[in-house]
Amino acid sequence: MSDSAQQPVTPAQYPPVSIVMPVRNESRHLENAVTRVLGQEYPGTLEVVIAVGPSTDDTHAIAERLAATDPRVRLVDNPTGRTPAGLNMAIAAAGHDIVIRVDGHGELADGYVATAVETLQRTGAANVGGIMDAQGVTPFEQAVAVAYTSRLGLGGSTFHLRTSPQGPADTVFLGSFRKDALQAVGGYDETLYRAQDWELNYRLRQHGETVWFTPELRVTYRPRSTLRALAEQFYETGKWRREVVRRHPETLNARYLASPLAVVAVVGGVAVGAHGSYHRVGPMRLGWLAPLGYLAMVVAGAAALRRDLPWPVRARLPLVFATMHMCWGLGFLVGLCPGERPEGPSGPL
């Protein structure tokens, strides 16, 4: 925590805030995300810095129109298209001492900015954040959203559960930062294409700062809309989380090992069971117990969730759970290939 925690902010003294948004291929959600930011009715000065990466849709045109319509919106070019680089560029261009990260597919709840500023001032933390409130539109998206907020889906991470109490945390969703704290640790690591939030918060904590979670902060998150997109997301996330563990072995914990062990058990069980069935080796047929047991677990887990779930959502949950577990676990086991692993320090802010 900062040596000199600031006094709580008063209504007449709201400090200016910079919102930073790294975007690429966000034509579906960008305008609504920016509109939610500008509609915060924050009493202090507010600016939005959008780092626009190369897109295959009309994201850049939408961003340019938003900047032309409202002088509070500014654009910076992110030729790499990568999230950590875009964040560092936007933070460097930010004109204010408080920086709040928002994604192009996220929607801030009413009063988010004011609550974030007050919490930063009250706690003296380097970063405060809240709930990743996953909400879907289609039955598949809704199933993914339910999986995000269940312990069976993502293992009960603090910022996925509305019941989590406020207080110091390992990491938070997105984040509202003191810019000086970001600069002191060198900003986001641009060699981590994913999992950069967790790693940044780890370095902040190692630097003696506090990362603070409060459920009063809520951001609506729009989950992936297809099974393939979900599988790719979790496979890549698993690979990059393995990279974080490679760089910081002390961060490995039991929760990270659950999905990789499930993959080993299911794949190994299928191989042993199939071999036993083909060669009629009775004991080896018991290998089928591992995949069947896992299937029973995800089906029972889906059935035990909220009673008000529509059946099209509940019916998709076992497949969503299995995709999350298997793809994240496989990615963690595989890790990054030598050609995928970027080396070298992150560019300082």
Side-chain angles (χ1 to χ4, degrees):
M1 182 177 293
S2 175
D3 291 336
S4 57
Q6 302 179 49
Q7 295 299 315
V9 68
T10 63
Q13 297 174 323
Y14 281 91
V17 171
S18 297
I19 307 293
V20 295
M21 301 180 67
V23 301
R24 183 171 68 91
N25 292 329
E26 289 288 0
S27 63
R28 183 180 175 188
H29 301 297
L30 177 57
E31 185 166 6
N32 193 44
V34 174
T35 299
R36 293 290 298 179
V37 171
L38 297 177
Q40 283 285 299
E41 298 183 354
Y42 179 66
T45 301
L46 192 69
E47 69 169 358
V48 181
V49 184
I50 305 177
V52 187
S55 300
T56 56
D57 59 16
D58 57 349
T59 294
H60 203 285
I62 294 172
E64 287 184 329
R65 175 168 53 79
L66 292 169
T69 303
D70 195 310
R72 293 174 293 176
V73 179
R74 294 192 291 120
L75 308 183
V76 295
D77 187 39
N78 175 20
T80 71
R82 296 181 182 122
T83 297
L87 284 165
N88 281 345
M89 292 172 186
I91 293 167
H96 305 309
D97 294 333
I98 293 179
V99 175
I100 297 179
R101 176 185 172 179
V102 180
D103 282 345
H105 50 273
E107 300 171 16
L108 299 184
D110 293 339
Y112 184 98
V113 174
T115 301
V117 170
E118 188 278 330
T119 306
L120 277 171
Q121 299 277 9
R122 173 172 52 84
T123 63
N127 180 20
V128 302
I131 295 292
M132 176 183 173
D133 188 13
Q135 295 186 20
V137 177
T138 67
F140 179 81
E141 292 171 351
Q142 292 174 33
V144 175
V146 171
Y148 264 111
T149 57
S150 72
R151 294 188 181 279
L152 181 58
L154 290 181
S157 297
T158 299
F159 62 82
H160 290 296
L161 303 178
R162 298 182 182 182
T163 56
S164 298
Q166 69 170 328
D170 288 344
T171 192
V172 292
F173 183 54
L174 301 181
S176 304
F177 302 87
R178 298 191 341 257
K179 188 176 181 180
D180 67 315
L182 283 175
Q183 293 172 323
V185 298
Y188 287 88
D189 188 335
E190 294 180 15
T191 67
L192 285 174
Y193 301 164
R194 290 178 183 260
Q196 65 275 154
D197 297 278
W198 196 98
E199 195 273 344
L200 171 64
N201 286 315
Y202 173 75
R203 281 187 286 119
L204 285 170
R205 291 186 287 108
Q206 291 298 105
H207 201 252
E209 297 283 1
T210 296
V211 177
W212 188 271
F213 169 83
T214 174
E216 294 180 30
L217 294 173
R218 182 174 57 81
V219 181
T220 299
Y221 171 81
R222 299 301 181 186
R224 299 299 192 271
S225 57
T226 66
L227 185 64
R228 178 175 179 177
L230 181 70
E232 291 175 349
Q233 176 193 15
F234 273 75
Y235 178 69
E236 290 298 320
T237 301
K239 289 168 64 175
W240 284 99
R241 186 52 62 88
R242 170 71 176 273
E243 178 65 10
V244 172
V245 170
R246 185 185 75 85
R247 299 186 190 189
H248 305 290
E250 67 278 10
T251 65
L252 182 64
N253 61 43
R255 187 162 63 88
Y256 291 168
L257 297 177
S259 288
L261 289 176
V263 172
V264 172
V266 169
V267 174
V270 169
V272 171
H275 184 81
S277 297
Y278 182 78
H279 294 283
R280 298 183 179 180
V281 181
M284 295 186 70
R285 295 178 184 179
L286 295 177
W288 289 110
L289 291 177
L292 291 175
Y294 175 79
L295 177 62
M297 180 188 72
V298 295
V299 170
L305 288 176
R306 302 180 349 229
R307 295 181 179 179
D308 61 340
L309 285 179
W311 73 263
V313 176
R314 193 182 300 276
R316 289 166 170 79
L317 271 172
L319 180 60
V320 168
F321 281 138
T323 300
M324 287 179 167
H325 298 160
M326 294 294 108
C327 291
W328 197 100
L330 181 60
F332 190 89
L333 289 170
V334 171
L336 297 179
C337 299
E340 294 180 293
R341 183 178 297 136
E343 300 293 348
S346 168
L349 289 178

